[in-house]
Amino acid sequence: MAPDAPPILRAVATSTRPMYQLLRCINFAPRVHVQITEEGIRFASDHARVMQGVAFLDKALFSSYSVNLPPAEDGEAPELPNFQISLASFLEVLQIFGAVDVATRAQKAEADPYRSNLRNYKPDAFSNQTLGISGTCTLLYGEEGDPFKITIEESGVKTTAGLMTYLPEVPEDIPFDRTDLSFKIIMQSRTLLDSLAEISPTSPERLTITAVKTTPYLSLAGTSDLGSSGVDFARGRDLLETFNIASRWSQTFKFDFIKSSTEAMRIASKVSLRGDGQGVLSLQFMVDMEGGKRSFLDFRFVPFMMHEEEEGAGAEGEED
């Protein structure tokens, strides 16, 4: 980068905690796709085109946020900077350099066999008092092909780490038709987490989610070789804040995929469950943060029926 050229991105935060907590929720793929926009930074993880998770770090999370997009050609809108990084490495940097000792201790507590691996609420996840960190964290991306740099300065000590960036391999988003919704339900995120915790002891391989207009309205059923277990929801404002059913909807998903979103369930206050006519499940989590700010985490899941049909079609094509 030329000495006088401004970097594509320079963002400064006074705490690494919000970034760590949000990005940890989508840490299920070797690499994460990063897209820099004028409104914030979008991180997207994809697993075999059957599960996707997106965390958006809004510019409001930073005390300073500046973006200098490359000039557009022929009057077209400028192309947004895209690249991939190792999300596990990014999280490790935030732990080491950001002194996220509270998060580290929480991870060790979760590993305790006497604690539930699902129920582990963190009501004060974004509290500076809980974090106990003073200093700044700066994210810097100079130009295309440069490392993604994280600089953390605490008590006069400055440390910089550079993460290698990779050519973007942007997977297409799992298609979700908002104009063809079969159902939409909004509930407390903790309620959904408790439901999965009730089903988890039977080690289910599959989870069937059913939404209907009449009782039991919403049901979760897990099945495995050990047996089955399920949870039914009574329709009520204390459990289901929003309940809109256009038509009966029932789809089966791999339980471990749904379980991958439980970290988001822990830190979120509410979750919106939606299913479209193709059977795709969307979970959108609202995370309340200090200062009255909010962040959102989005997950999409493809049901067994859809990706099994795709695999079957591929096998037939090979025989032909």
Side-chain angles (χ1 to χ4, degrees), residues 5-243:
I8 292 177
L9 168 72
R10 187 177 187 276
V12 181
T14 56
S15 171
T16 59
R17 182 68 169 178
M19 286 186 286
Y20 180 87
Q21 285 290 80
L22 291 172
L23 294 177
R24 184 185 172 195
C25 295
I26 62 168
N27 187 26
F28 54 77
R31 295 179 185 175
V32 65
H33 180 75
V34 183
Q35 185 178 63
I36 297 172
T37 75
E38 293 182 345
E39 300 303 318
I41 311 172
R42 184 180 188 269
F43 293 81
S45 290
D46 178 87
H47 180 81
R49 292 283 292 135
V50 294
M51 177 177 69
Q52 291 178 343
V54 175
F56 186 73
L57 302 185
D58 192 280
K59 64 180 182 180
L61 297 178
F62 302 91
S63 57
S64 172
Y65 185 88
S66 62
V67 172
N68 296 282
L69 300 179
E73 297 181 359
D74 301 328
E76 297 181 358
E79 184 177 350
L80 297 176
N82 294 279
F83 55 89
Q84 287 186 323
I85 60 172
S86 166
L87 182 55
S89 297
F90 188 19
L91 293 174
E92 187 175 355
V93 169
L94 294 179
Q95 281 186 286
I96 296 174
F97 298 141
V100 190
D101 53 347
V102 175
T104 303
R105 288 198 297 271
Q107 282 183 288
K108 292 180 179 178
E110 289 170 4
D112 187 337
Y114 295 101
R115 292 173 62 97
S116 168
N117 65 335
L118 287 175
R119 287 194 181 100
N120 184 22
Y121 309 131
K122 301 185 181 76
D124 300 320
F126 298 98
S127 168
N128 281 333
Q129 289 77 14
T130 300
L131 184 60
I133 290 179
S134 61
T136 60
C137 173
T138 302
L139 306 181
L140 185 72
Y141 184 61
E143 61 182 10
E144 185 178 355
D146 278 2
F148 186 64
K149 294 183 179 179
I150 307 99
T151 299
I152 293 182
E153 186 171 4
E154 298 176 274
S155 304
V157 178
K158 181 185 293 186
T159 309
T160 300
L163 298 182
M164 181 181 295
T165 56
Y166 302 89
L167 292 176
E169 298 176 2
V170 189
E172 294 183 3
D173 287 342
I174 292 176
F176 184 75
D177 191 351
R178 294 179 176 83
T179 64
D180 184 26
L181 290 184
S182 297
F183 81 95
K184 178 179 179 180
I185 294 173
I186 297 178
M187 67 170 68
Q188 295 295 313
S189 182
R190 179 176 296 190
T191 302
L192 184 58
L193 180 63
D194 285 342
S195 300
L196 294 181
E198 293 293 334
I199 298 172
S200 184
T202 59
S203 301
E205 298 173 359
R206 299 191 179 196
L207 179 72
T208 300
I209 301 176
T210 303
V212 292
K213 294 182 179 181
T214 57
T215 184
Y217 306 110
L218 175 67
S219 65
L220 308 180
T223 57
S224 70
D225 294 338
L226 299 178
S228 61
S229 58
V231 175
D232 292 338
F233 291 83
R235 186 178 182 182
R237 295 288 295 181
D238 55 333
L239 290 178
L240 307 179
E241 295 186 11
T242 298
F243 183 83

Side-chain angles (χ1 to χ4, degrees), residues 274-288:
R274 297 176 299 172
D276 70 3
Q278 297 184 90
V280 175
L281 173 68
S282 167
L283 299 181
Q284 185 179 66
F285 298 93
M286 184 179 74
V287 183
D288 294 321

Side-chain angles (χ1 to χ4, degrees), residues 240-313:
L240 307 179
E241 295 186 11
T242 298
F243 183 83
N244 296 321
I245 305 293
S247 60
R248 185 183 186 277
W249 190 93
S250 183
Q251 298 292 342
T252 301
F253 305 87
K254 187 172 182 179
F255 182 82
D256 285 347
F257 288 167
I258 305 297
K259 186 178 176 181
S260 296
S261 65
T262 54
E263 183 62 27
M265 296 178 198
R266 292 188 186 105
I267 68 172
S269 57
K270 295 182 181 181
V271 57
S272 171
L273 297 87
R274 297 176 299 172
D276 70 3
Q278 297 184 90
V280 175
L281 173 68
S282 167
L283 299 181
Q284 185 179 66
F285 298 93
M286 184 179 74
V287 183
D288 294 321
M289 309 179 73
E290 59 185 21
K293 300 173 185 177
R294 289 175 175 172
S295 286
F296 292 89
L297 294 160
D298 291 284
F299 290 81
R300 292 181 184 180
F301 305 90
V302 174
F304 265 108
M305 179 183 68
M306 287 181 64
H307 61 78
E308 284 179 348
E309 286 180 353
E310 291 175 0
E311 291 175 358

